[in-house]
Amino acid sequence: MTSTASDSAALAAPAHNDAAAGPAVALTIAGSEATGGAGAQADLKTFQELGVFGIANLTCIVSFDPQDNWNHRFVPVDQQVIAHQLEATTAAYGAASGAPSVLDTVKIGMLGSPATISTVAEALARSAFENVVLDPVLICKGQEPGHALDTDQALKAQILPLATFVTPNHFEAESLSGLEITDLESLKAAAVRIHELSGAAVLAKGGVRLAGPDAVDVYYDGETLEVLSAPKVGDVAVSGAGCSLAAAVTAELAKGATPLEAARTAKTFVTAGIRNRVASGAPFDALWQGGPR
Ligand code: PXL
């Protein structure tokens, strides 16, 4: 089935929350991005905005360097500390607590090193998450390329097979699929290929990278292929758009939405956040998660 959805779809209210049981709960395993545009900060703001109790376990701390073209200064969190955060979170909210598990949905953002990928993969293997949303952050501006290659390979080998939903951007979709993406047809082919490789639902983002008046993304889950399209807002990517899109998918899945519903709501959420973006002294604006309000 092929269809086209526009951003006119209303944002879903957090209808899946059970008032007696409290809000849905979601975990993000992600890096801190100090200026608040991207990373765990964007994820938590998105969760809150969509009515989901958010938890962040930090993998690294990224501080842009205004003296060096805003490249990323990247500091990993100690492996033991990452493992401890995951232990605390799954003990408190997961099946390990003895109480009914309320945490069955996790988002994975920037991991940043092969060591962190192994630590997270081991923790995920011990837990039974129903929804594992992977934002396959492959490149961090300013990272040493050899190091980034190791990280890419480890992510593909150890985390991609665990994912139930993947949200690659243009560059990441080319890297994961091995295909060159120049237009909507090649974006569709890449989404299909990444599904075949991972078994996950795929939301491949063309964003501002494909020519034309619209920001076009492709959803594919093995049965349904849907093009999600919204008029472009400017030609420059906005900080936090990718993180917020994947976080919105995560929040919706945590509330019980289907993957396709989650993708549609996330697209609408991010489009509104880009329209209402926040300018700063950095050369890129940041998405405002309160945009739909
Ligand atoms: O937008 C990708 C991203 C994810 N996570 C962290 C980041 C960035 C980009 O800056 O810093 C921590």
Side-chain angles (χ1 to χ4, degrees):
M1 186 178 77
T2 301
S3 56
T4 300
S6 79
D7 70 321
S8 58
L11 269 184
H16 307 284
N17 285 343
D18 176 342
V25 176
L27 165 66
T28 178
I29 303 173
S32 163
E33 189 279 279
T35 68
Q41 290 88 335
D43 294 343
L44 286 179
K45 287 183 271 187
T46 300
F47 290 168
Q48 182 76 17
E49 201 63 44
L50 291 171
V52 169
F53 180 85
I55 303 168
N57 288 186
L58 291 183
T59 55
C60 60
I61 297 182
V62 170
S63 315
F64 298 142
D65 186 352
Q67 316 297 335
D68 180 23
N69 194 28
W70 297 84
N71 273 325
H72 295 185
R73 289 173 292 198
F74 168 86
V75 178
V77 170
D78 185 87
Q79 295 308 311
Q80 181 108 69
V81 178
I82 297 172
H84 284 167
Q85 293 175 79
L86 291 163
E87 182 190 14
T89 300
T90 51
Y93 292 104
S97 64
S101 170
V102 293
L103 177 60
D104 63 8
T105 303
V106 60
K107 183 203 147 179
I108 300 168
M110 187 166 169
L111 299 178
S113 76
T116 299
I117 286 167
S118 295
T119 300
V120 170
E122 278 163 30
L124 290 181
R126 278 195 300 274
S127 322
F129 286 102
E130 197 180 318
N131 305 305
V132 178
V133 179
L134 173 62
D135 188 14
V137 181
L138 291 184
I139 267 210
C140 182
K141 205 178 164 209
Q143 250 184 340
E144 197 263 304
H147 174 78
L149 192 65
D150 286 356
T151 304
D152 293 0
Q153 283 166 355
L155 193 77
K156 283 180 205 167
Q158 295 178 59
I159 304 287
L160 188 62
L162 304 173
T164 62
F165 199 121
V166 197
T167 62
N169 65 19
H170 179 265
F171 169 79
E172 293 153 358
E174 284 191 333
S175 168
L176 293 177
S177 68
L179 301 173
E180 194 190 355
I181 300 170
T182 52
D183 55 15
L184 179 57
E185 289 314 306
S186 45
L187 187 63
K188 286 181 186 170
V192 170
R193 182 82 193 106
I194 296 166
H195 169 76
E196 287 166 355
L197 287 170
S198 64
V202 179
L203 183 56
K205 301 172 279 183
V208 294
R209 298 299 302 272
L210 296 185
D214 295 329
V216 177
D217 304 330
V218 171
Y219 171 91
Y220 183 66
D221 62 11
E223 284 179 9
T224 301
L225 189 141
E226 181 159 306
V227 177
L228 303 168
S229 179
K232 275 183 190 162
V233 188
D235 283 328
V236 180
V238 167
S239 172
C243 300
S244 300
L245 184 84
V249 166
T250 307
E252 293 304 304
L253 292 174
K255 291 187 289 184
T258 66
L260 179 57
E261 287 167 350
R264 288 177 180 153
T265 303
K267 174 76 171 175
T268 306
F269 180 83
V270 163
T271 302
I274 292 173
R275 284 207 188 101
N276 296 282
R277 61 196 181 274
V278 178
S280 73
F284 33 78
D285 295 343
L287 179 140
W288 163 228
Q289 284 79 12
R293 280 193 251 143

